[in-house]
């Protein structure tokens, strides 16, 4: 007999000529089926952030099912303390992402938009080779902002689905530089004898 690797999770057994074919036993163990591979990719859609800016697009998240099996995933995208993010809103769209086969059919969660932070958002079952995209619209914190505004997205699956790099922790981090907070203040230093007015001929100093 020959053992031939076929499609995913398939073994083809070809029996050649033999005098007694009876007694040939072939069995499979379903628990040994290959697990699917998924990935998450988070990218910055801004080159710099301004303090106390109201709601502008800053990040994009792509959740990809790169396998031939349907996957049930959750998505988390917390706001870290001191990250420079005051709040954000998110919107889901379904469509092809670069590097993902054209076959799609994934559905956004219902509702398909909301206010962050995301915590184990349950995604509808993603068909094989499908993907979802999430747009993250951020309101930044008051000045001063950190040097880098960093945010991390994570996908998980209770079935133990692995990322493309065989890492059970599927995460992706993106950063946007925080714009320096620059200001100028000018004050007058009045004479010591009076803090509210000057007499003719007196000299004033400005700082």
């Amino acid at each position: 007999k020959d053992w031939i690797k076929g499609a995913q999770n398939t073994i083809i057994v070809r029996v050649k000529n033999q005098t007694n074919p009876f007694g040939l036993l072939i069995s499979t163990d379903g628990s040994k089926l290959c697990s699917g591979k998924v990935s998450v990719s988070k990218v910055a859609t801004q080159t710099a952030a301004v303090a106390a800016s109201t709601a502008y697009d800053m990040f994009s998240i792509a959740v990809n099912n790169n396998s031939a099996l349907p996957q049930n995933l959750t998505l988390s995208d917390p706001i870290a303390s001191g990250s420079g993010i005051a709040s954000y809103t998110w919107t889901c769209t379904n469509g092809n992402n670069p590097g993902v086969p054209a076959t799609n059919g994934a559905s956004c969660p219902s509702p398909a938009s909301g206010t962050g932070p995301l915590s184990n958002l349950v995604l509808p079952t993603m068909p094989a080779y499908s993907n979802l995209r999430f747009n993250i619209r951020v309101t930044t914190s008051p000045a001063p902002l950190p040097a880098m505004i960093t945010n991390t997205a994570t996908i998980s699956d209770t079935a133990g689905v692995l990322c493309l790099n065989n890492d059970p922790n599927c995460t992706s981090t993106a950063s946007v530089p925080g714009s320096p907070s620059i200001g100028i203040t000018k004050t007058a230093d009045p004479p010591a004898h009076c803090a509210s007015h000057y007499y003719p001929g007196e000299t004033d100093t400005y700082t």
Side-chain angles (χ1 to χ4, degrees), residues 1 124 138 180-181 189:
K1 62 182 183 303
V138 171
S181 299
D189 300 324

Side-chain angles (χ1 to χ4, degrees), residues 3-144:
W3 297 87
I4 304 173
K5 182 179 179 181
Q8 181 173 358
N9 300 326
T10 301
I11 295 177
I12 300 173
V13 180
R14 184 172 56 199
V15 179
K16 295 183 177 181
N17 293 334
Q18 63 183 51
T19 57
N20 184 7
F22 299 101
L24 176 63
L25 175 63
I26 300 174
S27 65
T28 62
D29 183 349
S31 64
K32 298 301 187 292
L33 295 179
C34 298
S35 61
K37 295 297 182 69
V38 297
S39 65
V40 58
S41 174
K42 185 164 193 175
V43 297
T45 54
Q46 292 288 332
T47 56
V50 179
S53 180
T54 303
Y56 61 102
D57 296 340
M58 186 175 289
F59 299 107
S60 178
I61 303 172
V63 179
N64 304 311
N65 177 9
N66 306 282
S67 75
L69 303 173
Q71 304 295 344
N72 295 298
L73 305 174
T74 61
L75 172 65
S76 295
D77 191 31
I79 298 175
S81 176
S83 65
I85 299 175
S87 62
Y88 71 77
T89 59
W90 58 272
T91 303
C92 172
T93 60
N94 52 356
N96 295 321
N97 295 318
V100 177
T103 304
N104 203 280
S107 299
C108 286
S110 181
S113 61
T115 300
L118 290 171
S119 179
N120 294 318
L121 175 68
V122 177
L123 306 179
T125 300
M126 296 184 67
Y129 304 117
S130 65
N131 52 85
L132 294 172
R133 185 182 295 274
F134 292 81
N135 182 61
I136 305 298
R137 192 169 179 84
V138 171
T139 295
T140 53
S141 304

Side-chain angles (χ1 to χ4, degrees), residues 188-199 202 204:
D189 300 324
H193 64 80
C194 186
S196 61
H197 62 273
Y198 301 87
Y199 292 105
E202 290 186 325
D204 190 16

Side-chain angles (χ1 to χ4, degrees), residues 166-178:
N166 292 325
D167 186 347
N169 300 311
C170 299
T171 64
S172 181
T173 299
S175 299
V176 176

